[in-house]
Amino acid sequence: MKATYDKELCSILKDPTMRKVILGVAISLDGFIEGPDGEYDWCFNDQDYGLSGFFKRVDTMFLGRKTYEMTLAMNESSNSGFPKLKEYIFSSTLEKVKEGATLIKGDITTEVEKIKKEKGKDIWLFGGAGLTTSLLNLGLVDELSLAVHPVLLGGGKPLFSNIINRIHLTLVDTKTFSTGLVSLTYTLGQT
Amino acid sequence: MKATYDKELCSILKDPTMRKVILGVAISLDGFIEGPDGEYDWCFNDQDYGLSGFFKRVDTMFLGRKTYEMTLAMNESSNSGFPKLKEYIFSSTLEKVKEGATLIKGDITTEVEKIKKEKGKDIWLFGGAGLTTSLLNLGLVDELSLAVHPVLLGGGKPLFSNIINRIHLTLVDTKTFSTGLVSLTYTLGQT
């Protein structure tokens, strides 16, 4: 697997000392992150698909309220195998979050820019749809890393919705796997 | 530009003597074939992007009524540069079509299977959305050839809509271009 355009990466990044917010997610070719009944059975898990490299880049997660509550339920029933990441939960309605996590209730731009300026590795924007849309529209996402699965789901939860203005992207990497999964990595904005 | 998995192509095709229906189209990363105001200004035209090779494979076009009427209007004002292709117009409301084109009013499956069995090169499913959805749901599309542009349009006309059942795909080719356009080619069904 050969990374394409890696040499261009450095010139694209606006401030290489600042932490990046990376939207890293599995999607179907028709753009859904969940099937019509909330199912994930179409997601490949037979290979690493670059995930271990991705996990080395990040030490922090951004989660919306619904996604946070979903991960809480999942963690109670099983160990998901995710590495230990610092969690920031974005919610205007929650009063408190689990021990070790941080609740973000204030102005999103101010809070995210503050966290991005802190010392640390990059930040995984884990979802959900509402938080993803807000951060994209506010220009706070630095990178998209999409694992495009070879399937049309026909319905479900779309990754991209309610994006207000056209967003130009710069392709920085593509990887093709034997199962037909294509990993596409973009930075936001044009070179 | 290296074609991936070309050696697998022959084993995938169900009947190599039959003509293929290929959905070949430019899309944004968020899955739109037109922007919110029907615009195409985001489509790259600085390079060939494999189009001349594609045009060598096909000698026939499938068009829905709206797309047909749009191409009529375009042809009156300019020469689009498209090669001369035999045109089939799918419509239940039109009574006649332009000279040289063929109107398809009957049962879609019967008519398409008849055309696919005729002698000739492959068939370009040019659109629009309604015809594309019908042919996908009826299992009459053999290949997807998507020119994924590095842009999020945020709205417009989606390529995939109203697909009833999950459709599995087999990736047969990927090409990455210096402008960030990624060309993805899939056959329908699993190997």
Side-chain angles (χ1 to χ4, degrees):
Chain A
M1 296 303 154
K2 202 181 94 27
T4 333
Y5 309 135
D6 266 353
K7 66 177 190 296
E8 290 179 20
L9 189 59
C10 290
S11 65
I12 293 159
L13 305 174
K14 290 166 203 163
D15 179 354
T17 63
M18 212 150 89
R19 305 164 81 188
K20 312 282 172 290
V21 174
I22 307 165
L23 175 58
V25 71
I27 60 164
S28 65
L29 186 65
D30 51 350
F32 296 104
I33 52 172
E34 286 179 15
D37 300 310
E39 71 274 26
Y40 297 100
D41 63 307
W42 49 275
C43 290
F44 294 162
N45 56 10
D46 61 307
Q47 299 177 34
D48 180 70
Y49 292 113
L51 216 57
S52 58
F54 180 77
F55 282 142
K56 281 183 193 154
R57 280 187 62 188
V58 297
D59 63 4
T60 299
M61 268 168 109
F62 283 174
L63 299 93
R65 180 185 55 80
K66 282 188 204 160
T67 308
Y68 164 67
E69 287 170 349
M70 193 188 75
T71 60
L72 274 188
M74 279 169 67
N75 284 344
E76 276 165 21
S77 60
S78 70
N79 187 326
S80 64
F82 281 176
K84 187 76 197 136
L85 301 171
K86 179 160 180 52
E87 294 178 26
Y88 289 91
I89 322 302
F90 291 72
S91 169
S92 54
T93 55
L94 286 177
E95 287 303 322
K96 55 178 251 175
V97 291
K98 68 178 179 184
E99 209 185 307
T102 306
L103 178 62
I104 303 286
K105 285 177 88 82
D107 175 71
I108 292 184
T109 302
T110 311
E111 298 291 336
V112 169
E113 287 189 343
K114 201 177 80 183
I115 298 164
K116 285 170 78 167
K117 280 176 192 158
E118 285 171 6
K119 238 181 147 62
K121 293 185 181 183
D122 290 335
I123 299 154
W124 184 15
L125 171 53
F126 186 70
L131 180 61
T132 298
T133 300
S134 296
L135 295 193
L136 280 168
N137 282 331
L138 291 166
L140 295 169
V141 178
D142 299 285
E143 197 175 306
L144 304 182
S145 179
L146 307 183
V148 182
H149 283 63
V151 66
L152 303 176
L153 293 174
K157 191 186 280 183
L159 174 61
F160 300 112
S161 60
N162 302 314
I163 292 171
I164 298 167
N165 295 312
R166 186 184 290 196
I167 298 173
H168 289 282
L169 306 167
T170 298
L171 183 74
V172 288
D173 191 21
T174 66
K175 284 188 187 73
T176 303
F177 296 89
S178 58
T179 50
L181 185 147
V182 180
S183 169
L184 302 176
T185 305
Y186 298 90
T187 51
L188 277 83
Q190 285 172 305
T191 44
Chain B
M1 296 302 154
K2 203 180 93 25
T4 333
Y5 309 135
D6 265 354
K7 65 177 191 295
E8 291 177 20
L9 190 59
C10 290
S11 65
I12 294 157
L13 305 173
K14 291 167 204 163
D15 180 354
T17 63
M18 211 150 90
R19 306 164 82 188
K20 312 283 173 290
V21 174
I22 307 165
L23 174 58
V25 70
I27 59 164
S28 64
L29 186 66
D30 51 349
F32 296 104
I33 53 173
E34 285 179 15
D37 300 311
E39 71 273 27
Y40 298 101
D41 63 307
W42 49 276
C43 289
F44 293 162
N45 57 9
D46 62 307
Q47 298 177 35
D48 180 68
Y49 293 112
L51 215 57
S52 58
F54 180 78
F55 283 141
K56 281 182 194 155
R57 279 186 62 188
V58 297
D59 63 4
T60 299
M61 269 169 106
F62 283 174
L63 299 94
R65 180 186 54 80
K66 281 189 205 159
T67 308
Y68 164 67
E69 287 170 349
M70 194 188 74
T71 60
L72 274 189
M74 280 169 66
N75 283 344
E76 275 165 22
S77 59
S78 69
N79 187 325
S80 63
F82 281 178
K84 186 77 196 139
L85 301 171
K86 178 157 179 54
E87 294 178 26
Y88 289 92
I89 321 303
F90 291 72
S91 168
S92 54
T93 54
L94 286 177
E95 287 302 321
K96 57 177 251 176
V97 291
K98 67 179 180 183
E99 208 184 309
T102 306
L103 179 62
I104 304 286
K105 284 177 89 82
D107 175 69
I108 292 183
T109 302
T110 310
E111 298 291 337
V112 169
E113 287 188 344
K114 201 177 80 182
I115 298 164
K116 284 170 80 168
K117 279 175 192 158
E118 285 171 6
K119 238 183 145 63
K121 293 187 182 181
D122 290 335
I123 299 155
W124 183 16
L125 171 55
F126 186 70
L131 180 61
T132 298
T133 299
S134 296
L135 295 193
L136 280 169
N137 282 331
L138 291 166
L140 295 169
V141 178
D142 299 285
E143 196 175 307
L144 305 181
S145 180
L146 308 182
V148 182
H149 283 63
V151 65
L152 303 176
L153 292 175
K157 192 186 283 185
L159 175 60
F160 300 112
S161 61
N162 302 314
I163 291 171
I164 299 167
N165 295 312
R166 187 184 289 198
I167 298 173
H168 289 281
L169 307 168
T170 298
L171 184 74
V172 289
D173 191 21
T174 65
K175 285 190 187 73
T176 303
F177 296 89
S178 57
T179 50
L181 186 148
V182 180
S183 169
L184 301 176
T185 305
Y186 299 89
T187 52
L188 276 82
Q190 283 171 307
T191 45

